């Protein structure tokens, strides 16, 4: 049929290096079969690096065709992936990829895109992120919060869980990372081990839940939230969480009582947040005096390439970069913290992951809610 013919034409032309000629055929498959993730990936990930202008224009046509189909079916184009949008399950991903290909660095965040990405990789998430991309952030947060800031004694019995030791360094070469650590008795005023109330924003497979479970095991409380239902299912198998929610982090934070939390942790999640004003405001309101906010961002100041006007993006404080994730500036992050009475206890320049042998620069933070 037409779909198979278009797919075969795209495959043959791509194989022989005729990328621009392959583009319209891959796009036709995506229009004829809106659920074909392979065709969309070929267009956005395989052909676009070789024929960026042709791929962007073809992808625009795919998005317009799917939006028209959704509207004709009685759905809301802004809510793809829900209700009538199930007939167009990849529309959110196509829109996001179009924003990346066309350099829309101020493009809005669509949580449905992140949900689709992580639902698709839920079964192999830790293997891919940890083993292949050198992801070490949760373990680094564990070391910084429990050891450097709280000075908690080592857990008796079994050795603590750690990342695979494959020679990948979180901070790159020795001395390459800037580290700011404010010395102090930061555990003063916080509850004893086992009685903390913690929210894990973007809990994923439950890595942070496992690593910080000693803070909540007993009389404590740990809530995990993620946009991916499949990730939440995986996190539930860890046994670390009191409650798990597949949904919006803002709603989960809003449901907590003011000044009731002792820590909000979010490792490698804000890369899917365009702006972070609301999540910072809610965190500041929900943290008890002395409570901790541990999180990471990709560093826009150090990003090797920023679509569009770099100076404008830096002035704004955030941008959608070529990876399809958002990066934020240090000034933006720390400005939001200061507005909410969150002081910087710890900041470290890190390599958050390595993609195609390229280190992705990021920032690790632990902020503290000021007393009073």
């Amino acid at each position: 049929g037409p779909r198979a013919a278009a797919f075969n034409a795209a495959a043959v032309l791509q194989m022989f290096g005729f990328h621009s000629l392959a583009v319209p055929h891959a796009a036709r498959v995506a229009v004829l079969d809106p659920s074909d993730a392979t065709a969309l990936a070929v267009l956005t990930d395989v052909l676009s690096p070789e024929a960026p202008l042709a791929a962007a224009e073809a992808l625009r046509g795919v998005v317009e065709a799917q939006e028209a189909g959704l509207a004709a079916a009685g759905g809301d184009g802004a809510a793809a992936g829900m209700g009538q949008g199930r007939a167009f399950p990849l529309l959110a991903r196509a829109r996001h990829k179009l924003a990346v290909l066309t350099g829309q660095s101020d493009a809005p965040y669509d949580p449905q895109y992140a949900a689709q990405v992580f639902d698709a990789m839920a079964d192999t998430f830790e293997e891919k992120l940890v083993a292949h991309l050198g992801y070490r952030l949760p373990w680094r947060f564990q070391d910084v919060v429990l050891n450097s800031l709280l000075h908690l004694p080592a857990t008796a019995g079994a050795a603590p869980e750690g990342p695979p030791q494959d020679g990948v360094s979180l901070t790159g070469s020795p001395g390459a990372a800037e580290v700011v650590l404010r010395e102090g008795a930061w555990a003063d005023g916080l509850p004893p081990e086992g009685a903390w109330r913690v929210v894990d924003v973007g809990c994923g497979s439950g890595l942070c839940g496992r690593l910080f479970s000693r803070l909540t095991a007993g009389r404590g409380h740990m809530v995990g939230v993620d946009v991916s239902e499949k990730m939440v299912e995986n996190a539930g198998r860890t046994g670390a969480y009191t409650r798990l929610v597949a949904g919006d982090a803002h709603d989960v934070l809003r449901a907590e009582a003011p000044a009731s939390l002792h820590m909000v942790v979010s490792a490698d999640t804000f890369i899917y947040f365009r702006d972070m004003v609301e999540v910072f405001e809610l965190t500041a309101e929900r943290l008890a005096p002395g409570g901790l906010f541990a999180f990471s961002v990709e560093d826009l100041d150090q990003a090797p390439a920023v679509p569009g006007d770099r100076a404008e993006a830096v002035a704004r404080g955030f941008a959608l970069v070529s990876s399809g994730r958002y990066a934020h500036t240090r000034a933006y992050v720390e400005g939001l913290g200061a507005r909410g009475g969150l002081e910087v206890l710890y900041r470290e320049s890190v390599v958050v992951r390595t993609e195609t042998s390229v280190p992705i620069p990021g920032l690790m933070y632990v902020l503290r809610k000021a007393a009073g």
Side-chain angles (χ1 to χ4, degrees):
R3 179 199 168 283
F7 189 92
N8 291 336
V12 170
L13 289 166
Q14 188 272 331
M15 181 174 62
F16 284 100
F18 299 111
H19 302 102
S20 294
L21 296 178
V23 162
H25 297 285
R28 178 161 171 74
V29 178
V31 171
L32 291 172
D33 184 358
S35 66
D36 193 323
T38 300
L40 184 62
V42 167
L43 179 60
T44 61
D45 301 334
V46 177
L47 297 176
S48 66
E50 306 297 334
L53 295 180
E57 191 58 33
L59 184 58
R60 191 187 309 279
V62 171
V63 169
E64 290 173 353
Q66 293 195 10
E67 287 179 340
L70 186 64
D76 179 359
M82 303 176 67
Q84 290 284 351
R86 292 194 183 97
F88 300 91
L90 302 176
L91 178 52
R93 186 178 299 190
R95 284 173 174 157
H96 186 85
K97 293 288 189 178
L98 179 61
V100 173
L101 290 181
T102 54
Q104 300 175 47
S105 67
D106 193 24
Y109 164 70
D110 186 347
Q112 189 63 34
Y113 164 72
Q116 290 177 358
V117 169
F118 287 101
D119 276 348
M121 65 185 298
D123 292 340
T124 58
F125 172 74
E126 290 192 21
E127 176 188 354
K128 287 182 177 178
L129 204 60
V130 175
H132 300 296
L133 299 180
Y135 180 63
R136 300 293 182 269
L137 284 171
W139 290 275
R140 186 66 179 140
F141 274 120
Q142 180 193 40
D143 180 53
V144 168
V145 172
L146 300 187
N147 300 329
S148 300
L149 294 174
L150 301 181
H151 305 294
L152 294 181
T155 305
E161 176 183 344
Q165 299 300 311
D166 57 5
V168 178
S169 170
L170 183 71
T171 56
S173 59
E178 179 209 37
V179 178
V180 174
L181 172 63
R182 291 188 58 190
E183 295 292 346
W186 304 121
D188 291 354
L190 290 171
E193 185 177 337
W196 285 51
R197 293 181 61 87
V198 176
V199 171
D200 182 1
V201 172
C203 63
S205 61
L207 276 172
C208 283
R210 299 201 305 262
L211 298 175
F212 286 103
S213 60
R214 64 181 291 187
L215 295 179
T216 59
R219 296 181 291 113
H221 177 80
M222 185 181 293
V223 177
V225 56
D226 201 283
V227 294
S228 166
E229 292 184 4
K230 291 185 178 180
M231 283 294 198
V232 166
E233 290 175 8
N234 290 346
R237 298 187 185 103
T238 67
Y241 297 91
T242 312
R243 185 165 68 94
L244 281 160
V245 178
D248 185 81
H250 302 101
D251 293 338
V252 169
L253 288 168
R254 202 174 288 115
E256 298 290 328
S260 66
L261 297 176
H262 304 114
M263 184 168 69
V264 174
V265 60
S266 185
D268 210 36
T269 297
F270 292 150
I271 57 174
Y272 296 101
F273 280 56
R274 174 178 174 269
D275 73 70
M276 300 189 295
V277 173
E278 188 175 10
V279 73
F280 266 67
E281 289 177 345
L282 287 168
T283 296
E285 291 169 0
R286 269 53 184 177
L287 280 176
L292 305 178
F293 185 19
F295 63 92
S296 63
V297 295
E298 290 191 10
D299 189 352
L300 180 57
D301 296 302
Q302 302 300 320
V306 178
D309 189 320
R310 186 185 187 98
E312 179 181 317
V314 170
R316 184 172 59 238
F318 55 84
L320 179 67
V321 294
S322 57
S323 65
R325 301 184 296 268
Y326 294 90
H328 301 81
T329 66
R330 178 185 299 182
Y332 175 78
V333 170
E334 295 182 15
L336 290 181
R339 281 167 48 182
L342 300 168
E343 60 182 340
V344 177
L345 291 190
Y346 186 88
R347 180 182 67 230
E348 181 177 355
S349 299
V350 298
V351 173
V352 292
R353 68 181 78 204
T354 301
E355 293 178 331
T356 60
S357 301
V358 177
I360 305 301
L363 293 164
M364 265 182 64
Y365 278 98
V366 181
L367 309 184
R368 178 178 181 267
K369 178 67 180 291

